[in-house]
Coordinates of all heavy atoms in Angstrom, one line a residue:
M1357 N -20.3 13.8 -2.5 CA -20.2 12.8 -3.6 C -18.7 12.4 -3.7 O -17.8 13.2 -3.3 CB -20.6 13.4 -4.9 CG -22.2 13.7 -5.0 SD -23.1 12.3 -4.7 CE -23.5 11.7 -6.3
V1358 N -18.4 11.3 -4.2 CA -17.0 10.8 -4.3 C -16.7 10.6 -5.7 O -17.3 9.9 -6.5 CB -17.0 9.4 -3.5 CG1 -15.6 8.9 -3.5 CG2 -17.5 9.5 -2.1
R1359 N -15.5 11.2 -6.1 CA -15.2 11.1 -7.6 C -14.4 9.7 -7.8 O -13.5 9.4 -7.1 CB -14.2 12.2 -7.9 CG -14.9 13.6 -7.8 CD -13.8 14.8 -8.0 NE -12.7 14.6 -7.0 CZ -11.5 14.3 -7.2 NH1 -11.0 14.1 -8.5 NH2 -10.6 14.3 -6.2
I1360 N -14.8 9.1 -8.8 CA -14.2 7.8 -9.2 C -13.9 7.9 -10.7 O -14.7 8.3 -11.5 CB -15.2 6.6 -9.0 CG1 -15.7 6.5 -7.6 CG2 -14.4 5.3 -9.3 CD1 -14.9 6.1 -6.5
V1361 N -12.7 7.5 -11.1 CA -12.3 7.5 -12.5 C -12.3 6.1 -13.0 O -11.6 5.2 -12.4 CB -10.9 8.1 -12.7 CG1 -10.5 8.0 -14.1 CG2 -11.0 9.6 -12.2
F1362 N -13.0 5.8 -14.0 CA -13.0 4.5 -14.7 C -12.3 4.7 -16.0 O -12.6 5.6 -16.8 CB -14.5 4.0 -15.0 CG -15.2 3.5 -13.8 CD1 -15.9 4.4 -13.0 CD2 -15.2 2.2 -13.5 CE1 -16.6 4.0 -11.9 CE2 -15.9 1.7 -12.4 CZ -16.5 2.6 -11.6
R1363 N -11.4 3.7 -16.3 CA -10.7 3.7 -17.6 C -11.1 2.4 -18.3 O -11.3 1.4 -17.6 CB -9.2 3.8 -17.4 CG -8.7 5.0 -16.8 CD -7.2 5.1 -16.8 NE -6.7 6.2 -15.9 CZ -6.7 7.5 -16.3 NH1 -7.1 7.8 -17.5 NH2 -6.3 8.4 -15.5
D1364 N -11.2 2.5 -19.6 CA -11.4 1.2 -20.3 C -10.0 0.7 -20.8 O -9.0 1.4 -20.6 CB -12.4 1.4 -21.5 CG -11.8 2.3 -22.6 OD1 -10.7 2.6 -22.7 OD2 -12.7 2.8 -23.4
D1365 N -10.0 -0.5 -21.4 CA -8.7 -1.0 -21.7 C -7.9 -0.2 -22.9 O -6.7 -0.5 -23.1 CB -8.8 -2.5 -22.2 CG -9.7 -2.7 -23.4 OD1 -10.9 -2.2 -23.4 OD2 -9.3 -3.4 -24.3
A1366 N -8.7 0.7 -23.5 CA -8.0 1.6 -24.5 C -7.5 2.8 -23.9 O -6.8 3.6 -24.5 CB -9.1 1.9 -25.6
G1367 N -7.7 3.0 -22.6 CA -7.2 4.2 -21.8 C -8.1 5.3 -21.8 O -7.8 6.3 -21.2
N1368 N -9.4 5.2 -22.3 CA -10.3 6.3 -22.2 C -10.9 6.4 -20.8 O -11.2 5.4 -20.2 CB -11.5 6.0 -23.2 CG -11.1 5.9 -24.6 OD1 -10.4 6.7 -25.2 ND2 -11.4 4.8 -25.3
A1369 N -10.9 7.6 -20.3 CA -11.3 7.7 -18.9 C -12.6 8.5 -18.8 O -13.0 9.3 -19.6 CB -10.2 8.6 -18.2
A1370 N -13.4 8.1 -17.8 CA -14.6 8.7 -17.5 C -14.7 8.9 -15.9 O -14.5 8.0 -15.2 CB -15.8 7.8 -17.9
E1371 N -14.9 10.2 -15.5 CA -15.0 10.4 -14.1 C -16.5 10.5 -13.7 O -17.3 11.2 -14.4 CB -14.3 11.7 -13.7 CG -14.4 12.0 -12.2 CD -13.6 13.2 -11.9 OE1 -12.4 13.2 -12.1 OE2 -14.2 14.2 -11.4
I1372 N -16.8 9.8 -12.6 CA -18.3 9.8 -12.1 C -18.3 10.3 -10.7 O -17.3 10.3 -10.0 CB -18.9 8.4 -12.2 CG1 -18.3 7.4 -11.2 CG2 -18.8 7.8 -13.6 CD1 -19.1 6.1 -11.0
E1373 N -19.5 10.7 -10.3 CA -19.7 11.1 -8.9 C -20.5 10.0 -8.3 O -21.7 9.7 -8.7 CB -20.5 12.4 -8.9 CG -19.8 13.6 -9.6 CD -18.9 14.3 -8.7 OE1 -19.2 14.3 -7.4 OE2 -18.0 14.9 -9.1
A1374 N -19.9 9.3 -7.4 CA -20.6 8.1 -6.7 C -21.1 8.6 -5.3 O -20.6 9.5 -4.7 CB -19.6 7.0 -6.6
R1375 N -22.0 7.9 -4.9 CA -22.6 8.1 -3.6 C -22.0 7.3 -2.6 O -22.0 6.0 -2.8 CB -24.2 8.0 -3.7 CG -24.9 8.5 -2.5 CD -26.4 8.7 -2.8 NE -26.9 7.8 -3.9 CZ -27.5 6.7 -3.6 NH1 -27.7 6.3 -2.4 NH2 -28.0 6.0 -4.6
A1376 N -21.6 7.8 -1.4 CA -21.1 7.0 -0.4 C -22.1 6.0 0.1 O -23.3 6.4 0.2 CB -20.5 7.8 0.8
G1377 N -21.7 4.8 0.4 CA -22.7 3.8 0.9 C -23.2 2.8 -0.3 O -23.8 1.8 0.0
Q1378 N -22.9 3.3 -1.5 CA -23.4 2.5 -2.6 C -22.1 1.6 -3.0 O -21.0 2.0 -2.8 CB -23.8 3.4 -3.8 CG -24.4 2.7 -5.0 CD -25.0 3.6 -6.0 OE1 -24.4 4.7 -6.2 NE2 -26.1 3.3 -6.6
S1379 N -22.3 0.5 -3.7 CA -21.2 -0.3 -4.2 C -20.6 0.4 -5.4 O -21.2 1.2 -6.1 CB -21.6 -1.7 -4.5 OG -22.3 -1.7 -5.7
L1380 N -19.3 0.1 -5.6 CA -18.6 0.7 -6.8 C -19.3 0.1 -8.1 O -19.5 0.9 -9.0 CB -17.2 0.2 -6.8 CG -16.3 0.8 -8.0 CD1 -16.3 2.2 -7.9 CD2 -14.9 0.2 -7.8
M1381 N -19.8 -1.1 -8.0 CA -20.6 -1.7 -9.2 C -21.9 -0.9 -9.4 O -22.2 -0.5 -10.5 CB -20.9 -3.2 -8.9 CG -21.7 -3.8 -10.0 SD -23.5 -3.6 -9.8 CE -23.9 -4.7 -8.5
G1382 N -22.6 -0.6 -8.3 CA -23.9 0.1 -8.5 C -23.6 1.5 -9.0 O -24.4 2.0 -9.8
S1383 N -22.6 2.1 -8.6 CA -22.2 3.4 -9.0 C -21.9 3.5 -10.5 O -22.3 4.3 -11.3 CB -21.1 4.0 -8.2 OG -21.3 4.0 -6.8
A1384 N -21.1 2.5 -10.9 CA -20.8 2.3 -12.3 C -22.0 2.1 -13.2 O -22.1 2.7 -14.2 CB -19.8 1.2 -12.5
K1385 N -22.9 1.2 -12.8 CA -24.1 0.9 -13.5 C -24.9 2.2 -13.7 O -25.5 2.4 -14.7 CB -24.9 -0.3 -12.9 CG -24.1 -1.6 -12.9 CD -23.9 -2.2 -14.3 CE -25.1 -2.8 -14.8 NZ -24.9 -3.4 -16.2
A1386 N -25.1 2.9 -12.6 CA -26.0 4.1 -12.5 C -25.4 5.1 -13.5 O -26.2 5.9 -14.0 CB -26.1 4.6 -11.1
A1387 N -24.1 5.2 -13.6 CA -23.5 6.1 -14.5 C -23.3 5.7 -15.9 O -22.8 6.4 -16.8 CB -22.1 6.5 -13.9
G1388 N -23.7 4.4 -16.2 CA -23.6 3.9 -17.5 C -22.2 3.5 -18.0 O -21.9 3.6 -19.2
I1389 N -21.4 3.2 -17.1 CA -20.0 2.7 -17.4 C -20.0 1.4 -18.1 O -20.6 0.4 -17.6 CB -19.1 2.6 -16.2 CG1 -19.0 4.0 -15.5 CG2 -17.8 2.0 -16.5 CD1 -18.2 5.0 -16.3
A1390 N -19.4 1.4 -19.4 CA -19.4 0.1 -20.1 C -18.3 -0.8 -19.5 O -17.4 -0.3 -18.9 CB -19.0 0.4 -21.6
G1391 N -18.6 -2.1 -19.7 CA -17.6 -3.1 -19.2 C -17.9 -3.6 -17.8 O -17.1 -4.5 -17.4
I1392 N -18.9 -3.2 -17.2 CA -19.4 -3.7 -15.9 C -20.6 -4.4 -16.2 O -21.7 -3.8 -16.2 CB -19.5 -2.7 -14.8 CG1 -18.3 -1.8 -14.7 CG2 -19.9 -3.2 -13.5 CD1 -17.1 -2.4 -13.9
E1393 N -20.6 -5.7 -16.4 CA -21.8 -6.4 -16.7 C -22.7 -6.7 -15.4 O -23.9 -6.4 -15.4 CB -21.5 -7.8 -17.3 CG -20.7 -7.7 -18.6 CD -21.4 -7.1 -19.7 OE1 -22.6 -7.1 -19.7 OE2 -20.8 -6.4 -20.6
A1394 N -22.0 -7.2 -14.4 CA -22.7 -7.4 -13.1 C -24.0 -8.2 -13.2 O -25.1 -7.8 -12.8 CB -23.0 -6.0 -12.4
E1395 N -23.9 -9.3 -13.9 CA -25.1 -10.2 -14.2 C -25.8 -10.7 -13.0 O -27.0 -10.9 -13.0 CB -24.6 -11.4 -15.1 CG -24.2 -10.9 -16.5 CD -23.5 -12.0 -17.2 OE1 -23.3 -13.1 -16.6 OE2 -23.2 -11.9 -18.4
C1396 N -25.2 -10.9 -11.9 CA -25.9 -11.4 -10.7 C -26.4 -10.3 -9.8 O -27.0 -10.5 -8.7 CB -24.9 -12.3 -9.9 SG -23.6 -11.5 -9.0
G1397 N -26.1 -9.0 -10.1 CA -26.6 -7.9 -9.4 C -26.0 -7.7 -8.0 O -26.5 -7.0 -7.1
G1398 N -24.8 -8.3 -7.8 CA -24.0 -8.0 -6.7 C -24.0 -9.2 -5.7 O -23.6 -9.0 -4.5
S1399 N -24.5 -10.3 -6.1 CA -24.6 -11.5 -5.2 C -23.3 -12.3 -5.2 O -23.2 -13.3 -4.5 CB -25.7 -12.4 -5.6 OG -27.0 -11.8 -5.6
M1400 N -22.3 -11.8 -5.9 CA -20.9 -12.4 -5.9 C -21.0 -13.8 -6.4 O -20.3 -14.7 -5.9 CB -20.3 -12.4 -4.5 CG -18.8 -12.4 -4.6 SD -17.9 -11.9 -3.1 CE -18.6 -12.7 -1.8
V1401 N -21.7 -14.0 -7.5 CA -21.7 -15.3 -8.1 C -21.4 -15.3 -9.6 O -21.2 -16.3 -10.3 CB -23.0 -16.1 -8.0 CG1 -23.3 -16.4 -6.5 CG2 -24.2 -15.3 -8.5
C1402 N -21.2 -14.1 -10.2 CA -21.0 -14.0 -11.6 C -19.6 -13.6 -12.0 O -19.2 -13.9 -13.1 CB -22.0 -13.0 -12.3 SG -21.8 -11.3 -12.0
A1403 N -19.0 -12.8 -11.2 CA -17.6 -12.2 -11.4 C -17.5 -11.4 -12.8 O -16.5 -11.3 -13.3 CB -16.6 -13.4 -11.5
T1404 N -18.6 -10.8 -13.1 CA -18.6 -10.0 -14.4 C -18.6 -8.5 -14.0 O -18.9 -7.7 -14.8 CB -19.8 -10.3 -15.3 OG1 -21.0 -10.0 -14.6 CG2 -19.8 -11.7 -15.8
C1405 N -18.2 -8.3 -12.8 CA -18.1 -6.8 -12.4 C -16.7 -6.5 -12.0 O -16.4 -5.5 -11.4 CB -18.9 -6.6 -11.2 SG -18.5 -7.6 -9.7
Q1406 N -15.8 -7.4 -12.5 CA -14.3 -7.2 -12.2 C -13.8 -5.8 -12.7 O -14.2 -5.3 -13.7 CB -13.5 -8.3 -12.9 CG -12.0 -8.1 -12.7 CD -11.2 -9.1 -13.6 OE1 -10.1 -9.4 -13.2 NE2 -11.8 -9.5 -14.7
V1407 N -12.9 -5.3 -11.8 CA -12.2 -4.1 -12.2 C -10.7 -4.3 -11.7 O -10.5 -5.1 -10.9 CB -12.7 -2.7 -11.6 CG1 -14.1 -2.4 -12.1 CG2 -12.8 -2.8 -10.0
Y1408 N -9.9 -3.6 -12.4 CA -8.5 -3.5 -12.1 C -8.2 -2.2 -11.3 O -8.4 -1.1 -11.8 CB -7.5 -3.6 -13.3 CG -7.7 -4.7 -14.2 CD1 -7.9 -4.5 -15.6 CD2 -7.8 -6.0 -13.8 CE1 -8.0 -5.5 -16.5 CE2 -8.1 -7.1 -14.6 CZ -8.1 -6.8 -16.0 OH -8.3 -7.9 -16.9
V1409 N -7.9 -2.4 -10.0 CA -7.7 -1.2 -9.2 C -6.3 -0.6 -9.4 O -5.3 -1.4 -9.6 CB -7.8 -1.6 -7.7 CG1 -7.6 -0.3 -6.8 CG2 -9.3 -2.1 -7.5
A1410 N -6.2 0.6 -9.6 CA -4.9 1.3 -9.7 C -3.9 0.9 -8.6 O -4.4 0.8 -7.5 CB -5.0 2.8 -9.8
P1411 N -2.7 0.5 -9.0 CA -1.8 -0.1 -7.9 C -1.7 0.8 -6.7 O -1.7 0.2 -5.5 CB -0.4 -0.2 -8.6 CG -0.9 -0.3 -10.1 CD -2.1 0.4 -10.2
D1412 N -1.6 2.1 -6.8 CA -1.5 2.9 -5.6 C -2.8 3.0 -4.8 O -2.8 3.4 -3.6 CB -1.1 4.4 -6.0 CG -2.0 5.0 -6.9 OD1 -2.6 4.3 -7.8 OD2 -2.1 6.3 -6.9
W1413 N -3.8 2.5 -5.3 CA -5.1 2.4 -4.5 C -5.4 1.1 -4.0 O -6.1 0.9 -3.0 CB -6.3 2.9 -5.4 CG -6.5 4.3 -5.5 CD1 -6.1 5.2 -6.5 CD2 -7.1 5.1 -4.5 NE1 -6.5 6.4 -6.2 CE2 -7.1 6.5 -5.0 CE3 -7.8 4.9 -3.3 CZ2 -7.7 7.5 -4.3 CZ3 -8.4 5.9 -2.6 CH2 -8.3 7.2 -3.1
F1414 N -4.8 0.1 -4.6 CA -5.2 -1.3 -4.2 C -4.9 -1.6 -2.8 O -5.8 -2.1 -2.1 CB -4.3 -2.3 -5.1 CG -4.7 -3.8 -4.9 CD1 -5.9 -4.2 -5.5 CD2 -3.9 -4.6 -4.2 CE1 -6.2 -5.5 -5.3 CE2 -4.3 -5.9 -4.0 CZ -5.5 -6.4 -4.6
E1415 N -3.8 -1.2 -2.2 CA -3.5 -1.5 -0.8 C -4.3 -0.7 0.1 O -4.3 -0.9 1.3 CB -2.0 -1.3 -0.6 CG -1.0 -2.1 -1.4 CD -1.2 -3.6 -1.1 OE1 -1.6 -4.0 0.0 OE2 -1.1 -4.4 -2.0
R1416 N -4.9 0.4 -0.4 CA -5.7 1.3 0.5 C -7.1 0.8 0.7 O -7.9 1.4 1.5 CB -5.6 2.7 -0.1 CG -4.3 3.3 0.0 CD -4.0 4.4 -1.0 NE -4.8 5.6 -0.7 CZ -4.8 6.8 -1.4 NH1 -4.1 6.8 -2.5 NH2 -5.5 7.8 -1.1
L1417 N -7.5 -0.1 -0.2 CA -9.0 -0.7 -0.1 C -8.9 -1.7 1.0 O -8.0 -2.4 1.3 CB -9.4 -1.3 -1.4 CG -9.5 -0.4 -2.6 CD1 -9.8 -1.2 -3.8 CD2 -10.5 0.7 -2.4
P1418 N -10.1 -1.8 1.7 CA -10.3 -3.0 2.6 C -10.0 -4.2 1.8 O -10.4 -4.3 0.6 CB -11.8 -2.8 3.0 CG -12.1 -1.4 2.8 CD -11.3 -1.0 1.6
P1419 N -9.4 -5.2 2.4 CA -9.0 -6.4 1.7 C -10.2 -7.2 1.2 O -11.3 -7.1 1.8 CB -8.2 -7.2 2.6 CG -8.5 -6.7 4.0 CD -8.9 -5.2 3.8
A1420 N -10.0 -8.0 0.2 CA -11.1 -8.8 -0.3 C -11.3 -9.9 0.6 O -10.4 -10.5 1.3 CB -10.7 -9.4 -1.7
S1421 N -12.6 -10.4 0.8 CA -12.9 -11.5 1.5 C -12.4 -12.8 0.9 O -12.0 -12.7 -0.3 CB -14.4 -11.6 1.7 OG -15.0 -11.9 0.5
A1422 N -12.3 -13.9 1.6 CA -11.9 -15.1 1.0 C -12.8 -15.5 -0.2 O -12.2 -16.0 -1.2 CB -11.8 -16.2 2.0
M1423 N -14.0 -15.3 0.0 CA -15.0 -15.7 -1.1 C -14.7 -14.8 -2.3 O -14.7 -15.3 -3.5 CB -16.4 -15.5 -0.7 CG -17.5 -15.7 -1.7 SD -17.7 -17.4 -2.1 CE -19.0 -17.8 -1.0
E1424 N -14.6 -13.5 -2.1 CA -14.2 -12.6 -3.3 C -13.0 -13.1 -3.9 O -12.9 -13.1 -5.2 CB -14.2 -11.1 -2.9 CG -13.9 -10.3 -4.0 CD -13.6 -8.8 -3.7 OE1 -13.9 -8.4 -2.5 OE2 -13.2 -8.0 -4.5
A1425 N -11.9 -13.3 -3.2 CA -10.6 -13.7 -3.7 C -10.8 -14.9 -4.5 O -10.1 -15.1 -5.7 CB -9.6 -13.8 -2.6
E1426 N -11.6 -15.9 -4.1 CA -11.8 -17.1 -4.9 C -12.5 -16.8 -6.2 O -12.2 -17.3 -7.3 CB -12.6 -18.1 -4.0 CG -12.7 -19.4 -4.7 CD -13.4 -20.5 -3.8 OE1 -13.3 -20.3 -2.5 OE2 -13.9 -21.4 -4.3
M1427 N -13.5 -15.9 -6.1 CA -14.3 -15.6 -7.3 C -13.4 -14.9 -8.3 O -13.6 -15.1 -9.5 CB -15.5 -14.7 -6.9 CG -16.6 -15.5 -6.3 SD -17.3 -16.8 -7.4 CE -18.0 -15.8 -8.7
V1428 N -12.5 -14.0 -7.9 CA -11.7 -13.3 -8.8 C -10.8 -14.3 -9.6 O -10.6 -14.0 -10.8 CB -10.8 -12.3 -7.9 CG1 -9.5 -11.9 -8.8 CG2 -11.5 -11.1 -7.5
E1429 N -10.5 -15.4 -9.1 CA -9.8 -16.4 -9.8 C -10.5 -16.9 -11.0 O -9.9 -17.5 -12.0 CB -9.3 -17.5 -8.9 CG -8.3 -17.2 -7.8 CD -7.9 -18.3 -6.9 OE1 -8.2 -19.5 -7.3 OE2 -7.4 -18.1 -5.8
Y1430 N -11.8 -16.8 -11.0 CA -12.6 -17.3 -12.0 C -13.0 -16.2 -13.1 O -13.7 -16.5 -14.0 CB -13.9 -17.9 -11.6 CG -13.7 -19.2 -10.8 CD1 -13.7 -19.2 -9.3 CD2 -13.4 -20.4 -11.3 CE1 -13.5 -20.3 -8.6 CE2 -13.1 -21.5 -10.7 CZ -13.1 -21.4 -9.3 OH -12.9 -22.6 -8.5
T1431 N -12.5 -15.0 -12.9 CA -12.8 -14.0 -13.9 C -11.9 -14.2 -15.1 O -10.9 -14.9 -15.1 CB -12.5 -12.6 -13.3 OG1 -11.1 -12.5 -12.9 CG2 -13.3 -12.2 -12.1
R1432 N -12.3 -13.5 -16.2 CA -11.5 -13.5 -17.4 C -10.4 -12.5 -17.1 O -10.7 -11.4 -16.6 CB -12.3 -13.3 -18.6 CG -13.3 -14.4 -18.9 CD -13.9 -14.3 -20.3 NE -12.9 -14.7 -21.3 CZ -13.0 -14.8 -22.5 NH1 -14.2 -14.4 -23.0 NH2 -12.1 -15.2 -23.3
H1433 N -9.2 -12.8 -17.6 CA -8.2 -11.8 -17.5 C -7.8 -11.3 -16.1 O -7.7 -10.1 -15.9 CB -8.4 -10.6 -18.4 CG -8.9 -11.1 -19.8 ND1 -8.3 -11.8 -20.7 CD2 -10.2 -10.7 -20.3 CE1 -9.0 -12.0 -21.8 NE2 -10.1 -11.4 -21.6
P1434 N -7.7 -12.2 -15.1 CA -7.5 -11.7 -13.7 C -6.1 -11.1 -13.7 O -5.2 -11.5 -14.4 CB -7.6 -12.9 -12.9 CG -7.3 -14.0 -13.7 CD -7.9 -13.7 -15.1
R1435 N -5.9 -10.1 -12.8 CA -4.6 -9.4 -12.6 C -4.4 -9.3 -11.1 O -5.3 -9.4 -10.4 CB -4.5 -8.0 -13.2 CG -4.6 -8.1 -14.8 CD -4.5 -6.7 -15.3 NE -4.7 -6.7 -16.8 CZ -4.9 -5.6 -17.5 NH1 -4.8 -4.4 -16.9 NH2 -5.0 -5.7 -18.8
P1436 N -3.2 -9.1 -10.7 CA -2.9 -9.0 -9.2 C -3.8 -7.9 -8.5 O -4.0 -8.0 -7.3 CB -1.4 -8.6 -9.1 CG -0.8 -9.2 -10.4 CD -1.9 -9.0 -11.4
T1437 N -4.3 -6.9 -9.2 CA -5.0 -5.9 -8.6 C -6.5 -6.0 -8.9 O -7.3 -5.1 -8.8 CB -4.5 -4.4 -8.9 OG1 -4.7 -4.3 -10.3 CG2 -3.1 -4.2 -8.5
S1438 N -6.9 -7.2 -9.4 CA -8.3 -7.4 -9.7 C -9.2 -7.4 -8.4 O -8.8 -8.0 -7.4 CB -8.5 -8.8 -10.4 OG -8.0 -8.8 -11.7
R1439 N -10.4 -6.8 -8.5 CA -11.3 -6.9 -7.4 C -12.7 -7.0 -8.1 O -12.9 -6.6 -9.3 CB -11.3 -5.6 -6.5 CG -10.1 -5.4 -5.7 CD -10.1 -6.4 -4.6 NE -11.2 -6.4 -3.7 CZ -11.3 -5.7 -2.5 NH1 -10.2 -4.9 -2.1 NH2 -12.4 -5.7 -1.8
L1440 N -13.7 -7.4 -7.3 CA -15.1 -7.4 -7.8 C -15.7 -6.1 -7.4 O -15.7 -5.7 -6.1 CB -15.9 -8.6 -7.2 CG -15.4 -10.0 -7.6 CD1 -16.3 -11.0 -7.0 CD2 -15.3 -10.1 -9.1
S1441 N -16.2 -5.3 -8.3 CA -16.6 -3.9 -8.0 C -17.9 -4.0 -7.1 O -18.1 -3.0 -6.4 CB -16.9 -3.1 -9.2 OG -17.8 -3.7 -10.0
C1442 N -18.6 -5.1 -7.0 CA -19.8 -5.2 -6.2 C -19.5 -5.4 -4.8 O -20.3 -5.1 -3.9 CB -20.7 -6.3 -6.7 SG -20.1 -8.0 -6.4
Q1443 N -18.2 -5.6 -4.5 CA -17.7 -5.9 -3.1 C -17.0 -4.6 -2.6 O -16.5 -4.7 -1.4 CB -16.9 -7.1 -3.1 CG -17.6 -8.4 -3.5 CD -18.9 -8.6 -2.7 OE1 -18.8 -8.6 -1.4 NE2 -20.0 -8.7 -3.3
I1444 N -16.8 -3.6 -3.3 CA -16.2 -2.4 -2.9 C -17.2 -1.3 -2.6 O -17.9 -1.0 -3.5 CB -15.2 -1.9 -3.9 CG1 -14.1 -2.9 -4.2 CG2 -14.6 -0.5 -3.5 CD1 -13.2 -2.5 -5.4
M1445 N -17.3 -1.0 -1.4 CA -18.3 0.0 -0.9 C -17.6 1.4 -1.1 O -16.5 1.6 -0.6 CB -18.7 -0.1 0.5 CG -19.6 -1.4 0.7 SD -21.1 -1.4 -0.3 CE -20.9 -2.9 -1.3
V1446 N -18.4 2.3 -1.7 CA -17.9 3.7 -1.8 C -17.9 4.4 -0.5 O -19.0 4.4 0.2 CB -18.7 4.5 -2.8 CG1 -18.3 5.9 -3.0 CG2 -18.6 3.8 -4.3
T1447 N -16.8 5.0 -0.1 CA -16.7 5.8 1.1 C -16.0 7.1 0.7 O -15.3 7.2 -0.3 CB -15.8 5.1 2.2 OG1 -14.5 5.0 1.7 CG2 -16.5 3.7 2.5
P1448 N -16.1 8.1 1.6 CA -15.4 9.4 1.3 C -13.9 9.2 1.1 O -13.3 10.0 0.3 CB -15.8 10.3 2.5 CG -17.1 9.8 3.0 CD -17.0 8.2 2.7
Q1449 N -13.4 8.2 1.7 CA -11.9 8.0 1.6 C -11.5 7.5 0.3 O -10.3 7.5 -0.1 CB -11.5 6.8 2.7 CG -11.6 7.4 4.1 CD -13.0 7.4 4.6 OE1 -13.9 6.7 4.3 NE2 -13.2 8.3 5.6
L1450 N -12.5 7.1 -0.6 CA -12.2 6.6 -1.9 C -12.2 7.7 -2.9 O -12.1 7.5 -4.2 CB -13.1 5.5 -2.4 CG -13.0 4.2 -1.5 CD1 -13.9 3.1 -2.2 CD2 -11.6 3.8 -1.3
D1451 N -12.3 8.9 -2.5 CA -12.4 10.1 -3.5 C -11.1 10.1 -4.3 O -10.0 10.1 -3.8 CB -12.5 11.4 -2.7 CG -12.8 12.5 -3.6 OD1 -13.7 12.4 -4.5 OD2 -12.0 13.6 -3.6
G1452 N -11.2 10.0 -5.6 CA -10.1 10.0 -6.5 C -9.7 8.6 -6.9 O -8.8 8.4 -7.7
L1453 N -10.5 7.6 -6.5 CA -10.1 6.2 -6.8 C -10.1 6.0 -8.4 O -10.9 6.5 -9.1 CB -11.2 5.2 -6.3 CG -11.1 3.7 -6.7 CD1 -9.8 3.1 -6.1 CD2 -12.3 3.0 -6.2
E1454 N -9.1 5.2 -8.9 CA -9.0 4.9 -10.2 C -9.1 3.4 -10.5 O -8.3 2.7 -9.8 CB -7.7 5.5 -10.9 CG -7.7 7.0 -10.9 CD -6.6 7.7 -11.7 OE1 -6.0 6.9 -12.6 OE2 -6.3 8.8 -11.5
V1455 N -9.9 3.0 -11.4 CA -10.0 1.6 -11.8 C -10.1 1.4 -13.3 O -10.5 2.4 -14.0 CB -11.3 0.9 -11.1 CG1 -11.2 1.0 -9.6 CG2 -12.5 1.5 -11.6
T1456 N -9.8 0.3 -13.8 CA -9.9 0.0 -15.2 C -10.8 -1.2 -15.4 O -10.7 -2.1 -14.6 CB -8.5 -0.3 -15.7 OG1 -7.6 0.9 -15.6 CG2 -8.5 -0.6 -17.3
T1457 N -11.6 -1.1 -16.4 CA -12.5 -2.3 -16.8 C -11.7 -3.1 -17.7 O -10.9 -2.7 -18.5 CB -13.7 -1.8 -17.4 OG1 -13.5 -1.0 -18.5 CG2 -14.6 -1.0 -16.5
P1458 N -11.9 -4.5 -17.6 CA -11.2 -5.5 -18.4 C -11.6 -5.4 -19.9 O -12.7 -4.8 -20.2 CB -11.6 -6.8 -17.8 CG -12.2 -6.5 -16.5 CD -12.8 -5.1 -16.6
P1459 N -10.8 -6.0 -20.7 CA -11.2 -6.0 -22.2 C -12.6 -6.6 -22.4 O -13.4 -6.1 -23.2 CB -10.1 -6.9 -22.8 CG -9.1 -6.9 -21.8 CD -9.6 -6.7 -20.4
S1460 N -12.9 -7.7 -21.7 CA -14.3 -8.3 -21.8 C -14.4 -9.2 -20.7 O -13.5 -9.9 -20.1 CB -14.3 -9.2 -23.1 OG -15.5 -9.9 -23.1
Q1461 N -15.7 -9.2 -20.1 CA -15.9 -10.0 -18.9 C -16.5 -11.3 -19.3 O -16.7 -12.2 -18.5 CB -17.0 -9.2 -18.0 CG -16.6 -7.9 -17.6 CD -15.8 -7.8 -16.4 OE1 -15.2 -8.8 -15.9 NE2 -15.7 -6.6 -15.8
R1462 N -16.7 -11.5 -20.6 CA -17.3 -12.8 -21.0 C -16.3 -13.7 -21.6 O -15.3 -13.3 -22.1 CB -18.4 -12.5 -22.0 CG -19.6 -11.8 -21.4 CD -20.6 -11.4 -22.4 NE -21.6 -10.5 -21.8 CZ -22.8 -10.9 -21.5 NH1 -23.1 -12.1 -21.7 NH2 -23.6 -10.1 -21.0
Ligands
FES2667 S1 -22.0 -8.4 -9.8 FE1 -21.8 -10.5 -9.8 S2 -20.0 -10.9 -8.7 FE2 -20.2 -8.7 -8.7

């Protein structure tokens, strides 16, 4: 299992055990993490699964596709380290990853 830490905008942290091969969004939904709406179920059309990746992790992730980068621009409250959690696949290399959920995806 891969440990992932989710923080909310108030700084509250929750550590989950994610399964390699599952998306970060799917892992968050399975663990009941608030703030990940994921209305499209991972089809990359809703942008309600945005997370802010901790800066020291951002450069270590595989880069966003052109489509994901474009969708991120349509999220509410985008930041330089914004990613769509449905496009991040959990791998053993992500053990200890830290992300923050936005104040509101709507
Ligand atoms: S779940 Fe809709 S874009 Fe990620």
Side-chain angles (χ1 to χ4, degrees):
M1357 298 301 266
V1358 182
R1359 293 172 303 112
I1360 310 280
V1361 176
F1362 285 85
R1363 295 184 193 283
D1364 64 20
D1365 61 308
N1368 301 306
E1371 182 175 298
I1372 70 166
E1373 299 273 332
R1375 191 161 29 93
Q1378 190 174 35
S1379 73
L1380 185 60
M1381 177 276 283
S1383 302
K1385 296 292 281 183
I1389 297 294
I1392 306 285
E1393 301 295 335
E1395 293 171 352
C1396 76
S1399 301
M1400 205 164 44
V1401 295
C1402 73
T1404 61
C1405 65
Q1406 176 187 207
V1407 291
Y1408 306 131
V1409 179
D1412 57 329
W1413 276 99
F1414 186 76
E1415 299 298 329
R1416 296 159 66 181
L1417 295 178
S1421 67
M1423 175 77 92
E1424 181 188 348
E1426 187 175 336
M1427 286 299 295
V1428 163
E1429 292 179 14
Y1430 293 103
T1431 60
R1432 297 193 72 178
H1433 317 296
R1435 294 181 185 170
T1437 63
S1438 290
R1439 291 291 304 265
L1440 298 181
S1441 61
C1442 69
Q1443 300 304 303
I1444 298 173
M1445 291 301 125
V1446 174
T1447 65
Q1449 290 75 25
L1450 297 190
D1451 189 52
L1453 173 67
E1454 293 191 20
V1455 300
T1456 300
T1457 53
S1460 172
Q1461 304 274 18
R1462 295 172 186 259

